[in-house]
Amino acid sequence: MSNQDKNAAQVAAGAEKDTRDQTVRRMLALFAGRRRMLAALVALVVVVTLGTLTLPTLTGEAVDHVVGKGQVDFDGLASVLRWMAATICVTAAGQYALALVTNRLAYNAAYDLRCQAFDHLQRMPLSYIDTHEHGEVASRIVNDADQLTNGFVMGFQQLPTGVLTIVLTLVFMFRLNVTIALVVTVLTPFSVWMAKFISSHASRHFAGQTQLRGELTGLVEEMIGGIGTIEAFGVADEVCAQVADVDARLGQESYKAVFFSSLANPTMRFMNSLVYAAIGIFGAFVVLSGGITVGGLSAFLSYADQYAKPFNDITSVVTELQNSVACARHLFELIDEPLEEPDAEGACELGQVEGKVELDDVTFSYVPGKPILEHVELAAEPGRRIALVGHTGCGKTTLINLLMRFYDVDSGSVRVDGRDVRDVTRASLRSSWGMVLQDTWVRRATVRENIAIGKPDATDDEIVAAAKAAYADDFIRRMPHGYDTVLDGSASLSAGQKQLLCIARVMVAKPQMLILDEATSNIDTRTELLVQGAFENLMRGRTSFVVAHRLSTVRDADEICVVDHGCIAEKGTHEELLAKGGIYRDIYESQFAPAE
């Protein structure tokens, strides 16, 4: 390896260490507001450790009270046994309380972090959701938070108890016999080195395992969502191979992580057995020389076992903590993603709007240097119905995203009632719009709650009236519990039925402005004609933008805008655009001319 490569490797290792240290500090900061519980944790660790380490001394004293056959100090033995019973009871109570405090600390911290991550996700720009796999994001919030909890539980319960046990055990052993204690001290570094070797290797592979687990979760979710398409096009083998490839890499990384973490137990047990054997052999000679009593050696052997056990526990804890740090880093990376640009200072509430919408010389690009929209000019007077038509990918949906301010324009402005949307709060802007999209979304809740999303205080009469207007009331009443039916995997809805529910949401909310993006694309022709009638009533007096591929749905629009290559290529009514003989006429004839 060249010096340049070595330097690059050292820089990368240093950066990795800094990132890991910063992650650990942020993990500890989760407990900053729980000082009382941390103090209780420390006190309980001390009680449990002292109680555990007192028992071997009491056991040794009990042995020394049994001098030989027929030579038993029953009074002294009874006194020691009483102390042993009291110590066992206090230690057991302390262990129970320690488990309660530890679990509460760990699960509350993970709960707070998961809520923080999910809350942050709600306030992130839509561009992040558009460019990241949903399954991978979900894996961070759900799976990584669970792994983090496991690390917290082990870290709070076993790590401090193990460290304190090692320190106090050495103190007790030196009090019993310095010479034997020195033998233990000399052998200790070998156990420490072995623990460090195992944990460092396990850490690297646990980090890789966490990353690949998220990748696999996202891929599987994506493939399950498109299982119908996969089966229809006969690409199941290719998809299975793709999943198998990621799964194989995850399996290899998991194997290495588990292999090194599994080494901890047998390796440390072997080292512990060496220490125990050394104490037993050396201690026997010390007993023969009168340096320690038989009861003292019995206590010493118990301490040797107590002393060795924490090294095994700490190795397992460190391995689990390395996994937790990797998971925490994933969560913190999500939390560190930039939020949606905040509302401008002094941004006002939009309030009641008349519905005048203007796009003035708007240019926008998702990727810098590659504009999707260029110099778009569009004006909609209050109550007017504007149709947006054009070939797939021409920029219609992008226009809708700008109206809702899911994205901000690169140049130009979008105005509502003469006010730039960047000068009003997003919440007030978006609450003024009602949207029905081609991609339907139904949450796990009752039918009633799904319809009332846009107006949570809607009465039952309003909800039923909206469902009737959307022609959804009939199939809702045929469901097992009508409007109280919980929509989940057990209550199957067709794509058309889901879209009718989405239409009912808008009907009940009665927003001041409307966006209908292929709002009837999944509905049969007969129901579409009925729903169009309901839309006619809803759009009356409201500014409406209708995106459609089927021109039959936009013939009656006040103005039809033909979007082509990011520009408004044509404007006019249905008859005017047909007479012009341009792009609109080409699209119209492609849909209707063969039938005529």
Side-chain angles (χ1 to χ4, degrees), residues 15 24 54 89 95 148 192 204 207 230 252-253 288 307 485 508 518 564:
V24 171
T54 301
C89 291
Q95 288 174 331
L148 186 61
V192 174
R204 184 172 68 254
I230 291 170
Q252 291 174 359
E253 203 68 18
L288 293 176
Y307 177 75
T485 302
V508 76
E518 296 290 344
D564 185 55

Side-chain angles (χ1 to χ4, degrees), residues 187-199 258-276 308-313 315-316 319:
L187 294 174
T188 297
F190 294 100
S191 298
V192 174
W193 177 85
M194 191 64 66
K196 184 178 180 180
F197 173 82
I198 292 171
S199 64
V258 172
F259 173 76
F260 280 104
S261 62
S262 298
L263 283 178
N265 194 14
T267 303
M268 297 312 298
R269 284 184 180 276
F270 175 73
M271 297 300 299
N272 298 345
S273 298
L274 287 180
V275 174
Y276 195 85
K309 186 176 182 295
F311 283 100
N312 188 27
D313 293 340
T315 304
S316 299
T319 301

